[in-house]
Amino acid sequence: MTIKEALRQASKTLASGSIEDAPLEAELLLMHLLGIDRAKLYARLEDELSPGDAQAFAQLLKRRLSHEPIAYILGHREFFGHDFYVAPGVLIPRPESELLVEKALDFVKSEFPYRDPVIAEIGTGSGAIAISLALLLPNAKIYATDISPRALNIARVNCEKHGVQDRVYLLEGDLLDPLPEAVDIILANLPYIRDEELSELSAEIRMFEPMEALAGGRQGLDKVRQLLEEARGKLRPGGLILLEIGAGQGRAVVSLAKDLFPKARVELARDLAGRERVLSVTIP
Ligand SMILES: C[S@@+](CC[C@H](N)C(=O)[O-])C[C@H]1O[C@@H](n2cnc3c(N)ncnc32)[C@H](O)[C@@H]1O
């Protein structure tokens, strides 16, 4: 079978298994298997696929047909223009979380012309957010925490991959507990899926991504509330809290933040799809 035929067949198989973007995913899986980029793949369309490669390709397709996310099969995902290692046990970074990075950068640019900020990302997962910030803010001191040792191991690999292991301090523990000092910015994409929505998540998410990265309790706000309650003791005056939220949670988190920080400026920022996505709380 030629590469072209293998791709056509794979694309049909994936489409019949309800995989969206089946032609693209078939190409990505074969490029991954053969260790080549798209240009090389297209140059080799008429080449024969060896029986060994054909068998290995069938195995990859089987994994994808079982709804294992393609990022876990390929072992990486892009975030904020950088490539991150991902594996089961860690949430696959989502493009909408880039808004957290953008908001933190805006704040640093406007509020820290003379001093280097201290930043804490809580629930860092793969480390994508903390590392993206570290790459753009070479003088910032960044703590990245997680309750999951498995996630921290993956974040460690990513810190080394991007050469920021001396500037991103990985700490294990519950929310703000592990922070050794007060910081200027606390940002987090904490679990915020409501209990009743967990069963409605796609098979890719429900069956493969870690539950401790998703489940946020009855209203989805258990961790968000806990972090806001703890933040007072761990934030410097003039500091900022940035929290990613889910659809329909805007009003509840604004009122929570206003109760806890009556003097703060409390705002919601929308993502590219126009959804309220990030709560920001600026302390006077
Ligand atoms: C939605 S994921 C976000 C991961 C990563 N920051 C990202 O945006 O791709 C939430 C992360 O919070 C971590 N987490 C859950 N509960 C936590 C807690 N109580 N304290 C610290 N981290 C927690 C999970 O292990 C998971 O890595």
Side-chain angles (χ1 to χ4, degrees), residues 20-215:
E20 283 176 27
D21 295 330
L24 172 70
E25 294 211 1
E27 284 184 12
L28 289 173
L29 290 171
L30 196 51
M31 282 153 56
H32 170 70
L33 176 71
L34 301 176
I36 56 177
D37 61 18
R38 180 165 283 114
K40 289 212 177 88
L41 185 76
Y42 283 6
R44 287 179 50 185
L45 285 178
E46 301 305 331
D47 289 5
E48 282 294 311
L49 198 61
S50 75
D53 283 343
Q55 207 178 7
F57 191 36
Q59 282 305 316
L60 293 182
L61 292 172
K62 199 169 153 197
R63 283 173 68 183
R64 187 63 190 104
L65 283 170
S66 76
H67 293 283
E68 181 171 349
I70 191 150
Y72 286 158
I73 302 176
L74 302 178
H76 63 101
R77 171 54 53 95
E78 196 206 285
F79 181 84
F80 221 80
H82 306 292
D83 191 59
F84 291 95
Y85 164 59
V86 292
V90 81
L91 189 98
I92 300 162
R94 308 294 205 266
E96 53 269 27
S97 304
E98 293 184 355
L99 188 57
L100 280 173
V101 179
E102 286 167 13
K103 289 279 157 200
L105 285 173
D106 289 347
F107 185 71
V108 171
K109 268 191 214 147
S110 74
E111 303 298 319
F112 291 85
Y114 307 116
R115 180 168 74 77
D116 297 322
V118 182
I119 300 174
E121 193 218 345
I122 309 303
T124 195
S126 64
I129 293 173
I131 294 169
S132 299
L133 281 171
L135 290 170
L136 286 156
L137 301 171
N139 297 319
K141 182 178 189 184
I142 301 184
Y143 295 108
T145 80
D146 209 290
I147 202 156
S148 154
R150 218 168 155 202
L152 285 172
N153 283 336
I154 292 172
R156 189 163 295 113
V157 172
N158 280 316
C159 281
E160 280 163 21
K161 178 177 158 91
H162 291 286
V164 297
Q165 65 275 24
D166 298 337
R167 298 190 278 124
V168 176
Y169 301 88
L170 296 173
L171 306 169
E172 185 183 329
D174 188 20
L175 295 180
L176 304 182
D177 280 356
L179 291 185
E181 62 176 318
V183 301
D184 299 298
I185 302 174
I186 294 174
L187 76 166
N189 171 20
L190 291 170
Y192 56 67
I193 309 289
R194 295 180 185 88
D195 283 348
E196 63 180 27
E197 287 173 349
L198 289 171
S199 61
E200 295 158 17
L201 294 171
S202 70
E204 271 83 354
I205 303 175
R206 193 167 26 87
M207 289 163 51
F208 289 92
E209 295 202 82
M211 240 342 112
E212 73 263 26
L214 301 166

